């Protein structure tokens, strides 16, 4: 276990297992039966731990990376449960029959799902990203977990509110009991946006202007460039859904700024690999 430098993060620590680097949130580590990890690109085949089947890498290489990941974390690959993320706002309750879907190939993943919820022990929920925030949620009272892929389109569709509401209505969770950790993602330092993005987001998120940042480059006569604080909006949406601010931890790391650790669509283009967030109860 290695702690990050103070400048990097005050909420996470770095863990190295069998040559693979992971991040964990400090507040989630207080619950021994609750397991969670944020993967990095470090340590996989050809020195790249891409976990996504859908980006053009050879399936055998991706499967080898997932097996390497499973060995390092002491889990069975058969328990890995994955959704085919669609940048939408659909939420899935993972049943015993769903456990293992998408573990070994993309075609068996749960279709068109960007948030997974379960109360099933040893169901390992996995979401993937190359810039979008991934949100790990846990209710230690009811032993319920959720894993949310929260890109801007999913946020505009209300995915955080829908996920927390499903946890409440299906399992009796109280939002005030839920802890959340928000993964590294594209930061306001690098997430340049255009007017069409702003208009689309504001249709369903009137407060989005609060997270818009304008910068005037010294030698640019074209006017201000616009950047968006996506992690800031994620935190606000979690608070609006009823989570206590003190139970929300933000990674505070920009994926584009850290090529040694994370894949980034904005930096690497369509061929960017995918890192992952995993959560489960033993």
């Amino acid at each position: 276990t290695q702690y990050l430098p103070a400048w990097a993060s005050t909420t996470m620590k770095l863990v190295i297992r069998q040559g693979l680097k992971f991040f964990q949130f400090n507040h989630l580590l207080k619950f021994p039966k609750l397991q969670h990890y944020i993967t990095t690109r470090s340590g996989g085949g050809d020195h790249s731990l891409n976990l996504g089947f859908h980006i053009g890498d050879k399936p055998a290489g991706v499967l080898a990376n997932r097996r390497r990941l499973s060995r390092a974390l002491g889990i069975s690959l058969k328990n890995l449960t994955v959704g085919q993320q669609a940048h939408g706002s659909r939420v899935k309750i993972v049943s015993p029959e769903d456990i293992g879907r998408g573990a070994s190939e993309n075609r068996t993943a749960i279709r068109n799902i960007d948030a997974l919820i379960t109360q099933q022990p040893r169901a390992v929920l996995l979401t993937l990203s190359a810039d979008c925030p991934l949100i790990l949620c846990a209710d230690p009272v009811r032993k319920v977990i959720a894993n949310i892929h929260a890109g801007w389109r999913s946020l505009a569709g209300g995915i955080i509110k829908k996920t927390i509401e499903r946890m409440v209505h299906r399992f009796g969770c109280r939002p005030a009991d839920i802890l959340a950790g928000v993964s590294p993602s594209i930061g306001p330092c690098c997430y340049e946006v255009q007017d069409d993005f702003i208009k689309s987001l504001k249709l369903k998120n009137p407060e989005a202007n609060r997270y818009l940042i304008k910068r005037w480059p010294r030698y640019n006569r074209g006017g201000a460039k616009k950047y968006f604080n996506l992690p800031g909006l994620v935190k606000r949406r979690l608070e609006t859904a009823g989570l206590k601010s003190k139970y929300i931890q933000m990674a505070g790391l920009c994926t584009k700024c850290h090529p040694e650790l994370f894949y980034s669509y904005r930096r690497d283009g369509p061929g960017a690999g995918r890192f992952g967030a995993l959560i489960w109860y033993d």
Side-chain angles (χ1 to χ4, degrees):
T1 299
Q2 297 182 3
Y3 281 90
L4 291 170
W7 60 263
S9 178
T10 59
T11 61
M12 298 191 303
K13 68 178 183 180
L14 177 65
V15 178
I16 301 177
R17 294 193 175 179
Q18 297 185 19
L20 304 185
K21 294 181 180 180
F22 305 94
F23 289 95
Q24 293 183 296
F25 289 98
N26 295 328
H27 68 331
L28 296 181
L29 288 170
K30 296 178 181 179
F31 304 92
K33 291 291 185 179
L34 176 65
Q35 305 293 330
H36 78 285
Y37 295 89
I38 305 292
T39 73
T40 67
R41 66 185 303 165
S42 171
D46 296 325
H47 309 291
S48 178
L49 193 71
N50 169 43
L51 299 178
F53 280 111
H54 61 292
I55 65 160
D57 282 6
K58 293 182 179 179
V62 177
L63 182 57
N65 279 342
R66 291 192 178 190
R67 285 174 173 156
R68 188 177 288 111
L69 172 70
S70 298
R71 288 194 298 269
L73 298 183
I75 60 177
S76 170
L77 182 67
K78 296 179 180 180
N79 289 351
L80 208 61
T81 307
V82 192
Q84 285 184 357
Q85 297 161 192
H87 293 272
S89 58
R90 294 184 62 192
V91 180
K92 169 70 174 176
I93 305 291
V94 173
S95 67
E97 293 74 26
D98 294 316
I99 296 174
R101 292 183 62 181
S104 300
E105 54 185 352
N106 195 45
R107 69 180 183 88
T108 60
I110 304 170
R111 293 182 60 81
N112 299 325
I113 290 296
D114 283 87
L116 301 169
I117 304 172
T118 196
Q119 200 179 36
Q120 299 296 322
R122 293 178 294 281
V124 182
L125 307 184
L126 169 65
T127 52
L128 304 173
S129 174
D131 273 333
C132 295
L134 305 176
I135 310 171
L136 299 177
C137 296
D139 177 352
V141 178
R142 299 285 182 175
K143 302 295 189 295
V144 177
I145 55 173
N147 200 338
I148 308 170
H149 171 251
W152 77 265
R153 291 184 178 86
S154 297
L155 286 175
I159 193 167
I160 291 177
K161 179 182 178 182
K162 292 177 181 178
T163 302
I164 301 303
E165 286 178 346
R166 291 289 293 276
M167 293 175 73
V168 170
H169 296 151
R170 180 67 177 268
F171 300 106
C173 299
R174 295 176 62 249
D177 293 331
I178 298 173
L179 294 86
V182 182
S183 78
S185 66
I186 191 79
C189 49
C190 296
Y191 193 20
E192 185 178 353
V193 297
Q194 306 300 322
D195 289 340
D196 57 345
F197 164 91
I198 299 165
K199 290 177 182 177
S200 298
L201 187 60
K202 284 173 62 178
L203 288 176
K204 294 185 178 180
N205 295 264
E207 65 181 354
N209 266 345
R210 295 174 54 183
Y211 303 96
L212 187 64
I213 302 163
K214 295 182 180 180
R215 300 192 184 107
W216 283 263
R218 182 178 297 179
Y219 301 110
N220 184 357
R221 296 183 178 180
K225 291 189 174 183
K226 299 173 183 177
Y227 296 80
F228 196 78
N229 184 359
L230 194 61
L233 181 59
V234 167
K235 186 172 189 293
R236 177 59 181 162
R237 283 280 163 258
L238 288 166
E239 292 170 342
T240 302
L243 275 68
K244 293 183 178 180
S245 180
K246 66 180 180 179
Y247 290 161
I248 303 169
Q249 290 196 342
M250 311 294 294
L253 293 176
C254 173
T255 44
K256 187 178 178 183
C257 286
H258 293 278
E260 77 284 4
L261 289 172
F262 301 108
Y263 302 105
S264 168
Y265 188 95
R266 281 291 180 111
R267 185 189 63 238
D268 305 327
R274 298 294 188 269
F275 68 92
L278 305 94
I279 189 168
W280 72 97
Y281 264 106
D282 277 336

